[in-house]
Amino acid sequence: MNAHETALLEDLNPPQAEAVLHGDGPLLVLSGAGSGKTRVITRRVAHLVKVRRVFPWRILAVTFTNKAAREMRERLTQLLGAQANDLVVSTFHSAAAMILRREAEAVGLTKSFVIYDDGDQLNLVKRAMRDTGVEPVMQPREILHRIDQEKNAARLPEDMHVEQEDIRGQIVKRVYAGYQKLLRAANAVDFGDLLLLLVKLFRDRPDVLERYRTRFTHVLVDEFQDTNPVQYAFLRQIAPPPSANLVVVGDDDQSIYRWRGANVDNILQFPMQYPGAKVVKLEQNYRSDQNILTAAHEVISKNPRRMAKKLWSERPKGENLELMLHRDERAEAQEVARRILAVQREGFIKFSSMAVFYRTNAQSRVLEEALRLARVPYQLVSGRSFYDRAEVRDASAYLRLMVNPRSDADLLRVLNVPARGIGDTTEERLTDFANEQGLSLYEALGERHRIPSLNATAQKRLGGFHQLLQSLHAFSLTAKDAAGAVDQMLKESKLVESLVADGSDEALTRAENLKELLGAAQEFDLKRASDMVAAAQAVEAREEEAPEGVDSAPLTADVPPLQAFLEQISLVGEADAEVSEGRVALMTLHAAKGLEFDAVFLTGLEEGVFPHSRALKSEEPDGGEEMAEERRLCYVGFTRARKRLFVSLAQCRSLFGELKYNPPSRFLADVPQALFGFKENDLPPPPRAAAMPQRRRNWDDDETGPRVDRSYSQASSDMDGVGGDVRGMRVRHEQFGSGRIVAAEGSGPNAKVTVEFGGNVGLKRVIARFLIPG
Ligand SMILES: Nc1ncnc2c1ncn2[C@@H]1O[C@H](COP(=O)(O)OP(=O)(O)OP(=O)(O)O)[C@@H](O)[C@H]1O
Ligand SMILES: [Mg+2]
């Protein structure tokens, strides 16, 4: 073993090392959370390059988010130095986008195609519905969802098999076909197209496929449990069974993207698809304290149809899990803020090592408010929120028109932004004319003198807009960097100027955001310049020439800067925001996968919130696949925590404008009480059902329900008559020691107070006069 090899294997356990050292042929690493799967991928890549002397440009490593890709690349730079810049480390979508751009002509696009997002897609679906004249029996949203599903399943309209009597299916098929036509005419693709078009291209053009197959001799995939059929089809093309060097790592228990077409069968059936694949199981968890692991295990083990897995840890038992009960979502948010501060002060855990999770984005607003008030520095991890702002979308539309004036959806978006007096009638005449003549809107603008019944003013205004677009397009052809192009666009379009002229606070904030977009472009340029230098150095530093006829050029090579910037914007995902140092991260459970934190707050553990109401409506026994997926999501949430896990719930919550009294989440009942530090005798008697008449379902009536339900149903019913002021207060009791008030009933010295005491004492109900503050 040489020195490189020793260093790379040093801190790996035997099965991890086995996976890193595995020779040629397919390999599946299947194991539970925190067992070092991602570490194995990174090490294996480094090992391939350093020890087995595989050219870095032959390696394609696919991760789930751009953020994960960035982190993996950083890690690899530490291990490999400049050579890391010759690797392709990316998400499925950006790998597909890079390849598609190189092969654009072969799929009927030009290199400057733009990528449409969800909002653009919806507009396009509406247009396609109008164009195809389908009966308006389906909502555009629903049709779009079905189209996305078809794309995830690798089906174009002509591949759809729809029965004649399936009216809705027929509608989807027709609109889908019209929608694809509109995309192609606009020289645009949507997210789903990136992989779908590539898979089709590889299928129809074996010569193109062969080039990439010959190039990428090693393909590695993290979070494989969440691949969808079209992604898997791509993998099978580029790394075909039975013998390609395809390494996939994942955990069937963490498959949480079924709603995006992910199919957990991909991982379960991998050994069948790649017969002879080596399977390595990792069983030691390095992340979480034992109590957390036990809780996670108890929750996930209720799922049917899992691959049997063991997971053990040498880590200590750790602290108890903490159960936090609240009157409503505001009290919950305040208490989360308070506990974060306490954990930071007393637990010596940095803000940046803490995270707050929730099931749906809508829950974040109240949490944000409470954190702001409590002066807890936090950051919302929702990568798209900035780019989804109206003014930023307007600016992006202009930028995309700059590189691709044929993009009709973008043109319509900014036709009258900032206001230039182009009204609905003019817009209608323009689009009708374009449709009749088979022109893009931009081309129609050029022919505007032929548009019937347009008066001179309308002509003039359209002319002005046409000129603006022409000028911007011309500028983009010679732009040397993205920031220059953004700056020019902001000036010429007068987007900032009009907002500043408006002068309202809101308009000024919007103007600030546009300047931030310019800042993002500047940052992008700097990064790109250094990446390009690095890539060139990596090519220069190659010790050997690529074999004759093998394509070894960097995948991103010749994309103009503005276009590269736009592509980066389009591919920003929900989980991609970088959390700055010193801040607590707030995110949905879905965005949390792959991450780890010292302390985790999992909020909203109520039936109908988490598990999501959708899963409750499922007609299958026990909620079927939907419920199983919620359970996996809970497992993902728990296993992000290293040392402290707080789970919280509210007795009533208003969400989506409705006030709901939901019973506690079933997942709480699966956690053994001892892990919360409760002892059997601590539990107060169950409350009278009449005390909680508003509940839709009374979990206390459920005789089979686990006892832990009773403890917190009691505590939360206690809160009915009390203000939130004493809760959370620190108190001392002569016999039980110090603790914190969880709930109180009545007021004054005879109030009955439920206190969570430290040590092994746990939850107790005592009379207030026996307590002293502190
Ligand atoms: N052999 C090891 N020795 C010490 N620490 C390790 C070892 N393997 C992994 N770790 C650490 O354990 C933690 C979890 O590793 P990693 O993120 O790779 O796990 P994972 O299996 O990918 O988890 P997840 O299922 O959540 O994606 C990381 O902090 C990692 O550095
Ligand atoms: Mg991982």
Side-chain angles (χ1 to χ4, degrees):
M1 219 186 261
N2 66 27
H4 287 323
E5 185 152 14
T6 322
L8 286 174
L9 300 176
E10 215 165 39
D11 46 3
L12 297 180
N13 64 30
Q16 287 177 330
E18 193 186 348
V20 169
L21 292 172
H22 166 70
D24 286 335
L27 166 70
L28 164 66
V29 178
L30 179 77
S31 59
S35 56
K37 294 182 293 298
T38 303
R39 178 182 275 214
V40 160
I41 292 232
T42 316
R43 286 306 165 82
R44 185 172 164 86
V45 169
H47 187 264
L48 286 171
V49 173
K50 267 200 152 155
V51 180
R52 290 181 55 194
R53 320 291 298 166
V54 175
F55 292 124
W57 49 266
R58 285 195 175 284
I59 299 174
L60 170 64
V62 185
T63 64
F64 201 74
T65 60
N66 295 302
K67 182 163 176 261
R70 220 157 39 225
E71 282 166 10
M72 186 171 288
R73 186 178 283 286
E74 276 162 22
R75 190 78 198 95
L76 282 163
T77 304
Q78 289 164 12
L79 296 168
L80 293 175
Q83 278 185 301
N85 296 307
D86 228 359
L87 299 161
V88 180
V89 183
S90 74
T91 62
F92 274 109
H93 283 106
S94 50
M98 286 190 281
I99 299 177
L100 211 55
R101 231 178 256 291
R102 300 170 113 217
E103 312 297 335
E105 280 80 17
V107 292
L109 295 162
T110 79
K111 272 198 194 327
S112 51
F113 70 78
V114 295
I115 304 171
Y116 278 178
D117 66 17
D118 187 67
D120 309 318
Q121 283 182 282
L122 198 62
N123 286 332
L124 225 55
V125 166
K126 289 179 189 159
R127 266 183 70 197
M129 287 172 76
R130 271 200 306 275
D131 292 354
T132 47
V134 296
E135 296 289 322
V137 291
M138 288 175 80
Q139 293 293 329
R141 260 273 157 233
E142 186 189 351
I143 297 184
L144 175 57
H145 180 66
R146 298 266 302 255
I147 291 176
D148 280 339
Q149 279 181 329
E150 293 300 323
K151 291 192 170 184
N152 288 336
R155 283 191 294 264
L156 281 167
E158 56 268 29
D159 306 318
M160 284 176 70
H161 298 290
V162 186
E163 301 294 333
Q164 208 53 47
E165 54 277 14
D166 175 3
I167 310 279
R168 299 168 84 81
Q170 293 292 352
I171 289 180
V172 172
K173 187 169 174 167
R174 270 173 58 200
V175 176
Y176 183 11
Y179 170 88
Q180 287 302 98
K181 272 209 198 93
L182 289 172
L183 277 175
R184 284 312 86 82
N187 195 27
V189 299
D190 64 13
F191 229 61
D193 271 348
L194 290 171
L195 276 143
L196 177 59
L197 295 185
L198 192 58
V199 164
K200 297 288 171 194
L201 171 70
F202 282 167
R203 196 194 56 190
D204 298 341
R205 291 279 305 273
D207 56 318
V208 179
L209 172 59
E210 197 50 34
R211 261 195 284 131
Y212 292 94
R213 219 184 241 181
T214 319
R215 169 181 182 146
F216 293 114
T217 52
H218 289 82
V219 179
L220 303 95
V221 187
D222 199 0
E223 308 272 5
F224 183 66
Q225 74 278 0
D226 277 323
T227 46
N228 63 29
V230 73
Q231 291 166 337
Y232 197 17
F234 165 76
L235 290 176
R236 283 199 309 266
Q237 286 175 326
I238 203 158
S243 58
N245 299 321
L246 174 62
V247 175
V248 301
V249 315
D251 176 3
D252 54 315
D253 287 335
Q254 294 184 64
S255 171
I256 54 174
Y257 278 91
R258 205 172 79 102
W259 52 285
R260 270 202 213 154
N263 187 349
V264 67
D265 289 339
N266 289 349
I267 195 164
L268 298 177
Q269 289 170 7
F270 186 80
M272 272 77 89
Q273 290 272 353
Y274 285 78
K278 185 177 179 67
V279 180
V280 171
K281 293 192 176 182
L282 310 176
E283 293 177 345
Q284 181 169 2
N285 171 296
Y286 290 90
R287 180 181 295 147
S288 310
D289 287 349
Q290 199 67 61
N291 279 343
I292 295 170
L293 268 192
T294 308
H297 174 78
E298 290 297 328
V299 169
I300 196 65
S301 59
K302 301 269 184 325
N303 260 1
R305 224 168 66 92
R306 311 169 48 222
M307 281 245 201
K309 267 178 296 206
K310 279 185 260 161
L311 207 53
W312 59 277
S313 167
E314 278 176 357
R315 292 175 57 98
K317 209 160 152 290
E319 307 233 15
N320 287 333
L321 273 60
E322 297 211 33
L323 182 62
M324 297 161 55
L325 320 152
H326 310 281
R327 174 209 285 280
D328 57 25
E329 77 280 5
R330 290 183 186 284
E332 177 187 49
Q334 282 161 16
E335 182 63 7
V336 165
R338 212 185 63 73
R339 298 298 284 272
I340 286 175
L341 290 170
V343 169
Q344 187 240 7
R345 268 197 316 265
E346 294 151 27
F348 303 106
I349 294 178
K350 293 184 298 189
F351 286 134
S352 56
S353 301
M354 294 191 235
V356 183
F357 301 153
Y358 36 84
R359 176 66 182 83
T360 52
N361 273 310
Q363 287 164 257
S364 71
R365 190 180 52 82
V366 177
L367 287 162
E368 280 192 84
E369 270 168 29
L371 294 177
R372 249 197 314 269
L373 271 176
R375 296 180 191 278
V376 174
Y378 71 89
Q379 184 167 340
L380 200 65
V381 178
S382 169
R384 287 228 57 87
S385 56
F386 176 72
Y387 295 103
D388 280 344
R389 291 171 205 267
E391 65 279 10
V392 178
R393 291 185 63 121
D394 292 340
S396 308
Y398 269 112
L399 293 175
R400 294 195 300 199
L401 284 168
M402 271 174 102
V403 295
N404 176 19
R406 269 163 59 195
S407 180
D408 283 359
D410 289 316
L411 193 143
L412 285 177
R413 181 171 181 100
V414 295
L415 184 59
N416 198 33
V417 178
R420 59 185 118 247
I422 300 180
D424 290 349
T425 321
T426 309
E427 177 180 327
E428 213 168 285
R429 292 195 174 133
L430 174 71
T431 43
D432 286 350
F433 176 73
N435 284 346
E436 278 158 27
Q437 306 288 319
L439 300 173
S440 72
L441 294 172
Y442 178 71
E443 288 161 335
L445 281 176
E447 312 260 313
R448 63 190 173 281
H449 302 294
R450 291 172 48 213
I451 303 179
S453 54
L454 267 191
N455 63 28
T457 325
Q459 282 283 357
K460 191 161 152 255
R461 288 174 180 157
L462 287 182
F465 182 56
H466 185 232
Q467 241 173 23
L468 168 64
L469 294 187
Q470 272 180 319
S471 152
L472 288 175
H473 181 51
F475 189 92
S476 83
L477 295 177
T478 55
K480 292 198 181 43
D481 53 21
V486 174
D487 193 37
Q488 182 73 14
M489 179 279 293
L490 290 176
K491 285 196 185 110
E492 275 198 57
S493 68
K494 302 199 167 55
L495 278 179
V496 177
E497 196 182 308
S498 66
L499 290 168
V500 172
D502 173 312
S504 68
D505 282 353
E506 195 196 322
L508 293 178
T509 310
R510 287 163 179 256
E512 287 297 316
N513 286 335
L514 292 179
K515 286 180 196 150
E516 199 170 322
L517 182 68
L518 180 59
Q522 283 161 345
E523 224 169 84
F524 173 83
D525 286 330
L526 286 176
K527 173 86 174 44
R528 183 176 151 92
S530 74
D531 283 356
M532 274 168 48
V533 171
Q537 278 171 351
V539 173
E540 203 130 287
R542 286 181 187 171
E543 287 159 15
E544 274 173 73
E545 291 288 312
E548 189 61 25
V550 179
D551 168 11
S552 67
L555 285 193
T556 46
D558 56 350
V559 184
L562 177 56
Q563 206 164 306
F565 177 57
L566 284 171
E567 181 156 314
Q568 178 185 277
I569 295 180
S570 317
L571 295 178
V572 167
E574 274 298 324
D576 281 328
E578 219 33 273
V579 178
S580 1
E581 211 28 52
R583 286 169 188 275
V584 177
L586 256 66
M587 66 187 90
T588 63
L589 282 158
H590 280 99
K593 89 193 217 154
L595 306 179
E596 56 188 28
F597 301 90
D598 284 337
V600 163
F601 293 81
L602 184 45
T603 63
L605 274 146
E606 299 132 37
E607 293 283 299
V609 177
F610 186 36
H612 196 277
S613 53
R614 243 195 337 256
L616 300 185
K617 287 191 199 111
S618 165
E619 278 158 19
E620 293 170 71
D622 297 329
E625 256 313 301
E626 297 254 14
M627 187 58 79
E629 178 123 337
E630 296 290 311
R631 204 171 267 292
R632 293 193 288 266
L633 200 51
C634 184
Y635 175 75
V636 169
F638 280 13
T639 53
R640 301 307 97 198
R642 282 192 283 247
K643 299 180 187 145
R644 305 293 304 271
L645 178 58
F646 297 82
V647 287
S648 77
L649 69 161
Q651 188 192 18
C652 76
R653 173 181 304 272
S654 52
L655 194 62
F656 303 117
E658 267 185 275
L659 186 68
K660 286 270 168 67
Y661 289 81
N662 291 317
S665 168
R666 64 192 66 198
F667 304 141
L668 286 177
D670 296 331
V671 179
Q673 293 174 59
L675 297 180
F676 291 117
F678 296 152
K679 286 193 299 192
E680 242 173 86
N681 298 340
D682 292 336
L683 300 176
R688 291 180 307 279
M692 290 165 287
Q694 314 94 319
R695 293 217 172 82
R696 283 185 306 176
R697 206 180 87 195
N698 195 329
W699 68 96
D700 295 300
D701 292 338
D702 179 4
E703 284 305 321
T704 57
R707 232 173 290 111
V708 65
D709 277 352
R710 304 202 193 289
S711 72
Y712 46 74
S713 59
Q714 171 64 43
S716 45
S717 87
D718 284 345
M719 285 185 256
D720 280 352
V722 220
D725 47 353
V726 291
R727 279 179 295 134
M729 202 169 132
R730 287 204 160 271
V731 289
R732 279 196 68 75
H733 183 276
E734 201 172 18
Q735 186 188 344
F736 300 134
S738 64
R740 206 171 329 94
I741 298 185
V742 177
E745 195 181 39
S747 58
N750 290 327
K752 295 191 185 92
V753 188
T754 309
V755 181
E756 197 187 313
F757 288 102
N760 289 329
V761 181
L763 216 56
K764 291 273 182 205
R765 212 141 84 102
V766 291
I767 307 291
R769 69 186 130 92
F770 294 119
L771 295 170
I772 50 168

